[in-house]
Amino acid sequence: MIATIDLPDLDATTALAARIASRLRAGDVVALTGTLGAGKTTLARAVIRALGHEGEVPSPSFAIIEPYDPPQVRLPVIHADFYRLKDPAELAEIGLDDYREGAALIAEWPDHAGGFAHEAGCLSIRMESDENGRRAIVEPGQDWLERGSWN
């Protein structure tokens, strides 16, 4: 069920974000991996906007966690950037489990947090960028399979 989606421009990224947002539920994780500059934050911001947020969507690289709550979005969502974590044990100090209660999580650098691919509600997206452009390699977890194809 792995799908490769070409992202030749911002409109394509916005369209993918709209598909993700329309299927996103509380408890889900959108795990974004890829090298620096591959488009993880761009996609995360587009998903948050597709959920209804109209204001600025800052990168959580310094704060690590940036929460968004209704009515500014259709469901509670946490945008997290785990790049600066040295050890997944730091998540307890941050209180990630409390933030995740009843919310969806958009996680950049999920491997720094121990990963989420083992969760049935995880949509894993590997962002790639090279001379041929950007693409998203989408691998839905079990709970995402019933929500439609990514091809």
Side-chain angles (χ1 to χ4, degrees):
M1 295 305 199
I2 297 174
T4 300
I5 301 169
D6 289 326
L7 303 173
D9 54 30
L10 188 55
D11 288 342
T13 300
T14 301
L16 174 58
R19 288 173 67 192
I20 294 167
S22 71
R23 300 174 187 186
L24 194 64
R25 299 176 185 163
D28 285 342
V29 177
V30 178
L32 302 173
T33 61
T35 60
L36 288 170
K40 296 179 298 297
T41 301
T42 300
L43 181 59
R45 286 176 170 151
V47 171
I48 293 165
R49 286 189 186 104
L51 288 169
H53 186 73
E54 295 179 3
E56 182 182 347
V57 180
S59 172
S61 57
F62 179 74
I64 300 177
I65 291 178
E66 196 68 48
Y68 297 87
D69 294 306
Q72 62 179 225
V73 287
R74 88 168 163 79
L75 78 153
V77 64
I78 306 304
H79 180 196
D81 183 335
F82 298 121
Y83 183 77
R84 295 186 319 116
L85 292 186
K86 303 277 188 265
D87 187 304
E90 293 177 66
L91 293 175
E93 295 173 29
I94 295 169
L96 181 63
D97 287 343
D98 293 334
Y99 280 105
R100 286 189 67 187
E101 186 70 33
L105 171 65
I106 301 171
E108 297 184 52
W109 301 96
D111 52 317
H112 290 220
F116 300 93
H118 63 281
E119 296 184 22
C122 184
L123 181 68
S124 297
I125 302 176
R126 186 174 74 245
M127 302 295 292
E128 296 181 349
S129 180
D130 59 27
E131 65 277 353
N132 297 317
R134 286 186 173 165
R135 72 197 68 63
I137 314 303
V138 180
E139 185 171 1
Q142 188 63 40
D143 288 355
W144 284 84
L145 294 176
E146 67 191 42
R147 303 182 206 178
S149 171
W150 292 95
N151 293 325

